[in-house]
Amino acid sequence: MTAVAQQRYGAAQGRSLFGLGLNTWLFLAPALIFFLWYQVYPIVRVIWISFTDFRFLTGEPGQWVGLDNYIEALSDPLMWTSLWRAALFTLMFLPGTIIFPLLLAILVDRVKNQRLATFYRVILLIPAVIPSTLIFVLWKWMYNFQVGPVNLLIETLGGTPQMWLGGTELTLPSIAIMEIWWGLGYHTIFFLAGLAAIPKDLPEAARLDGANEWKIFWYVTLPRLQPIMAILVVLRFGTAMAVIDEYLIFGGFNRDFPTYTWTIFMYDQAFQIGQWRQGFAAAIGMIGAMGMMIVVAGLLWIFRPKG
Amino acid sequence: MTADALPRQRSVAIPPETWLSRHRGAIIRHGIIWLFLLIIVAPLVWVLLMSVKTLPASMRPQIWPDSFDFSHYAYVFEKIDTLPHNMFNSIYVTGGTVLFTTLFAVLAGYALVHLRPRGARVIVLAFLLSLYFPTRVVSIISIYEIQNYMGLINSTTGLILPYITLNLAISVLIMRSVFQLVPHELFEAAKIDGAGPWKSLWMVGLPMVRNGLVVVFIVNFVTAWGEYLLCLTLTNDQEARTMPVVLAMAAGGLGQWAWPRLAAVYVIVVLPGILAFIFAQRLFFKGLMEGMVKG
């Protein structure tokens, strides 16, 4: 064992396994080139143009304007409204996408019959393998005023049909429900992996000590699921704050719609109106991204491993 | 919940025990699970039933069709002329993306773990950071500029380039954690037997990371098949677009986009992925667990 460990240590310290540095870089090159080309460079470029008055359709390179775009964006009430709308959506979405999968995972984890357990998992994961746009299209129809089954169900139960999408107050909650449905099975699988990692004798011991199921859940299970929950909260906060496709499909570019969030504000400025003020749009994007990063850092600090 | 822990004690206390009372906890448990399963499956069943309704029946408020009409599936391919084109675009773009991303992720994952380059930690950190930053949204401004500079606006092939990076970071990280489960000694042994880095990846590495490959494959398929933002922004003509984007633009109603026809297109587009997943689910779940160990 020590020999192996030392060997590993040596390899990690010194040259690579096959001694050829060039070969190693050949393996890494495709991934790195694409990563630099389509992810790192665009971000750096966006940061740069956020300090210029770059308008795409004029065809001229932007002139340095310092913090002007940021000052203009931050003094525009729409910037704050659009950020608040994204935050509001996140608040509607985040609790449901943690609590329901957690509940479901605890139930599925107790299924003893292996075939049934596999069956449940496969059905649960079906929405996760439906591509994003097809999820949105499907729910656009589900919420349709005329033929949508959601209104049909409500009418059958004696309620009044609602306008779910298209800028009404119900739009953000409707999208949140759709997103919770989408992530339900996938997050359940996440929690199931966490539950499987808990040694079975821990809840058994607590049970023998006379703890009831609720106490076992609260004091034994939940603390051990916390790392997974932390990952999910941080990741889903990120996706929820930066939603854009859903808002493009369900909302559009009406500034009064609750779907006009900072992402749509950015897109609107960059590709829709006027001469495509991409310098200004870049500033909007960076303000949104920086706001998100601050909250993510805060969340990571809250969930930091203790002790 | 408590009913679950007690059945044995109860059988002593109350002699006339029925099957129902003995299994009450399990029945409630499975009942709740089935309720969730129903909620998950219901929208898909609805769209499937819609695709076989007759045109007049599709506008009536009922779920179950009176009579089944399967003609919409043939109709959409014969009468909507851009449809085969969009379908081809989807297959072409998705195929290219999945192929390249998976290949790049395998190479990078293997190199990061077993070839041990200097700066591996920096690379992993950069990939990880890109997951927390809203890269996809913010970078769109400059990606348009890049594609425009290269003359790739409105080019279906051109879409593959930015598509490859959509999931590149997560794919590399998944492959990295899967390769970490392969003992380094296997590659050492291959080296002693005279295999080079390429041969040892092909002969020793690949068979060991099969499950992880399935996960990366499915994750990339799902993303590329359903991508909206880039396709919408970088292409202008319906001819150049992929199937889901055309579907999202189509307003349901009359004519070629009547509801059952729309639903038939939907079923054609969504079914291959679901079937592929059900077929590969065993490998997928194993790979998911392996990929999660450190991912």
Side-chain angles (χ1 to χ4, degrees):
Chain A
M1 278 308 271
T2 39
V4 171
Q6 265 173 355
Q7 215 172 352
R8 286 195 169 194
Y9 182 70
Q13 285 286 303
R15 273 161 290 124
S16 63
L17 174 58
F18 291 93
L20 281 166
L22 184 68
N23 231 330
T24 306
W25 287 103
L26 273 181
F27 281 91
L28 283 169
L32 283 184
I33 288 171
F34 268 85
F35 184 66
L36 291 172
W37 185 12
Y38 276 106
Q39 304 230 274
V40 178
Y41 167 76
I43 296 297
V44 174
R45 170 85 183 146
V46 164
I47 294 173
W48 161 251
I49 64 174
S50 73
F51 294 107
T52 70
D53 63 353
F54 183 53
R55 288 157 198 261
F56 187 85
L57 294 184
T58 60
E60 289 162 25
Q63 296 295 315
W64 177 268
V65 292
L67 287 169
D68 281 7
N69 289 326
Y70 288 90
I71 292 165
E72 187 187 341
L74 289 173
S75 51
D76 188 341
L78 192 57
M79 182 77 238
W80 297 100
T81 314
S82 65
L83 275 172
W84 166 242
R85 284 166 178 162
L88 198 63
F89 172 75
T90 307
L91 287 175
M92 292 173 187
F93 160 73
L94 216 45
T97 211
I98 302 291
I99 292 165
F100 291 121
L102 182 60
L103 170 71
L104 202 48
I106 287 165
L107 295 176
V108 174
D109 187 51
R110 288 155 164 258
V111 174
K112 295 283 186 300
N113 185 328
Q114 267 311 304
R115 275 160 177 264
L116 207 54
T118 309
F119 171 76
Y120 287 161
R121 279 161 210 248
V122 171
I123 300 286
L124 282 173
L125 218 55
I126 283 179
V129 296
I130 299 178
S132 55
T133 309
L134 294 174
I135 297 277
F136 312 149
V137 169
L138 178 61
W139 280 82
K140 194 178 167 186
W141 299 344
M142 294 291 292
Y143 286 129
N144 185 280
F145 188 76
Q146 283 177 310
V147 300
V150 173
N151 270 345
L152 184 62
L153 183 72
I154 284 174
E155 269 183 292
T156 317
L157 296 175
T160 37
Q162 303 286 329
M163 287 287 285
W164 297 98
L165 300 173
T168 62
E169 269 181 28
L170 289 170
T171 311
L172 287 186
S174 303
I175 299 175
I177 289 171
M178 174 190 79
E179 297 278 327
I180 292 168
W181 178 86
W182 191 16
L184 182 63
Y186 185 61
H187 296 166
T188 303
I189 300 297
F190 249 79
F191 281 125
L192 277 170
L195 287 171
I198 298 176
K200 285 285 173 246
D201 48 338
L202 279 179
E204 284 302 327
R207 203 165 284 144
L208 286 178
D209 288 345
N212 64 29
E213 292 293 318
W214 176 248
K215 276 195 168 159
I216 293 173
F217 170 73
W218 195 253
Y219 292 108
V220 179
T221 313
L222 205 57
R224 280 172 181 79
L225 288 179
Q226 213 213 335
I228 286 188
M229 219 180 290
I231 294 171
L232 272 186
V233 168
V234 174
L235 280 180
R236 289 303 156 246
F237 170 82
T239 37
M241 279 300 287
V243 163
I244 182 164
D245 307 49
E246 293 87 321
Y247 299 150
L248 286 172
I249 292 172
F250 296 136
F253 296 102
N254 187 325
R255 294 182 167 205
D256 293 329
F257 282 2
T259 51
Y260 198 91
T261 60
W262 69 274
T263 53
I264 299 293
F265 190 19
M266 184 201 86
Y267 194 90
D268 199 12
Q269 291 289 337
F271 297 110
Q272 294 288 316
I273 53 176
Q275 291 177 307
W276 295 16
R277 286 184 68 195
Q278 296 195 336
F280 183 51
I284 297 168
M286 287 313 296
I287 290 170
M290 285 302 122
M292 281 177 62
M293 288 298 99
I294 291 168
V295 180
V296 164
L299 286 173
L300 288 177
W301 186 78
I302 291 171
F303 290 126
R304 72 193 180 281
K306 296 185 177 72
Chain B
M1 293 262 172
T2 31
D4 202 63
L6 295 174
R8 266 164 218 279
Q9 290 147 306
R10 185 175 293 170
S11 66
V12 183
I14 312 160
E17 180 194 67
T18 62
W19 181 88
L20 201 69
S21 71
R22 188 150 29 109
H23 293 281
R24 206 180 60 189
I27 289 169
I28 294 173
R29 219 163 54 224
H30 285 267
I32 298 174
I33 296 174
W34 278 91
L35 183 72
F36 276 111
L37 295 189
L38 186 74
I39 292 171
I40 282 179
V41 171
L44 296 164
V45 173
W46 175 81
V47 80
L48 197 64
L49 288 174
M50 181 55 106
S51 75
V52 293
K53 280 180 182 171
T54 58
L55 290 187
S58 69
M59 298 304 283
R60 280 201 293 272
Q62 62 184 54
I63 299 289
W64 195 259
D66 300 322
S67 60
F68 293 94
D69 180 358
F70 293 95
S71 67
H72 307 301
Y73 285 89
Y75 176 94
V76 293
F77 269 107
E78 285 163 12
K79 296 288 164 65
I80 306 177
D81 31 302
T82 58
L83 194 75
H85 219 96
N86 301 136
M87 206 58 195
F88 171 79
N89 289 347
S90 275
I91 294 168
Y92 172 59
V93 172
T94 306
T97 307
V98 170
L99 188 75
F100 285 114
T101 317
T102 311
L103 179 70
F104 296 171
V106 169
L107 294 179
Y110 166 68
L112 283 174
V113 179
H114 292 292
L115 301 185
R116 296 175 179 167
R118 275 164 206 223
R121 231 176 253 175
V122 179
I123 296 169
V124 171
L125 192 69
F127 280 137
L128 213 56
L129 275 179
S130 77
L131 295 181
Y132 288 109
F133 194 83
T135 316
R136 194 176 70 97
V137 172
V138 176
S139 67
I140 185 86
I141 300 174
S142 294
I143 286 178
Y144 186 92
E145 206 184 3
I146 294 173
Q147 298 294 90
N148 187 52
Y149 181 76
M150 295 194 299
L152 293 175
I153 296 298
N154 218 13
S155 152
T156 311
T157 309
L159 284 179
I160 296 175
L161 297 175
Y163 274 25
I164 287 173
T165 47
L166 281 176
N167 271 330
L168 188 64
I170 189 82
S171 301
V172 171
L173 292 176
I174 291 174
M175 284 325 291
R176 175 174 164 264
S177 48
V178 174
F179 268 113
Q180 275 170 341
L181 298 178
V182 183
H184 193 61
E185 290 70 38
L186 284 179
F187 294 102
E188 301 271 2
K191 185 193 173 192
I192 291 165
D193 291 343
W198 297 90
K199 199 173 180 189
S200 74
L201 168 63
W202 185 252
M203 307 291 280
V204 181
L206 271 192
M208 305 285 287
V209 296
R210 197 183 49 178
N211 303 331
L213 269 180
V214 172
V215 174
V216 170
F217 192 89
I218 290 184
V219 165
N220 279 289
F221 167 82
V222 170
T223 308
W225 192 256
E227 207 287 327
Y228 182 78
L229 184 65
L230 285 165
C231 185
L232 179 83
T233 312
L234 301 175
T235 62
N236 305 314
D237 303 330
Q238 184 161 324
E239 284 259 307
R241 289 187 164 163
T242 55
M243 205 55 241
V245 179
V246 174
L247 260 184
M249 306 286 244
L254 299 167
Q256 65 178 18
W257 290 131
W259 285 107
R261 290 171 186 153
L262 216 46
V265 176
Y266 188 89
V267 173
I268 294 169
V269 178
V270 83
L271 215 53
I274 294 180
L275 291 179
F277 161 67
I278 291 175
F279 186 71
Q281 53 92 4
R282 192 184 289 265
L283 299 175
F284 181 78
F285 280 115
K286 274 191 201 158
L288 205 60
M289 295 306 150
E290 291 170 8
M292 267 189 211
V293 172
K294 275 211 152 181

